[in-house]
Amino acid sequence: MFVVVSYDIVDNRRRARIAKNLMAYGERVQKSVFECAIDDRRYLKMKEQIDKQIDAEEDSVRYYCICLK
């Protein structure tokens, strides 16, 4: 599947960790946007890792599933 991930992370250290994590799954196309061509299993793993790192009250991460590959 093709997933676009965008984020708005308040803390610089957390933002850097999220970006580094996302680089393992896809390609950075803007400062806070990644494109990922991944299967369902890797998508769930990526989402789980990111959800553990963010502060849900301050940060925002959006996942847009565009199409199946």
Side-chain angles (χ1 to χ4, degrees):
M1 92 173 77
F2 187 75
V3 180
V4 175
V5 182
S6 67
Y7 57 85
D8 183 14
I9 308 293
V10 175
D11 181 73
N12 288 337
R13 187 174 286 178
R14 246 187 345 259
R15 187 180 322 110
R17 268 197 316 262
I18 296 295
K20 184 177 180 181
N21 189 331
L22 285 169
M23 283 187 221
Y25 293 97
E27 181 178 339
R28 181 179 238 157
V29 293
Q30 290 185 357
K31 284 203 177 249
S32 61
V33 179
F34 281 78
E35 294 177 343
C36 308
I38 55 179
D39 60 24
D40 291 341
R41 184 182 55 80
R42 284 183 48 89
Y43 169 72
L44 293 174
K45 183 178 177 184
M46 174 184 73
K47 192 171 179 321
E48 180 182 308
Q49 289 175 345
I50 291 172
D51 288 347
K52 287 180 182 177
Q53 294 177 357
I54 66 169
D55 180 336
E57 293 189 17
E58 291 187 331
D59 303 331
S60 174
V61 180
R62 304 279 186 211
Y63 305 90
Y64 300 98
C65 298
I66 306 300
C67 61
L68 297 176
K69 272 214 159 197

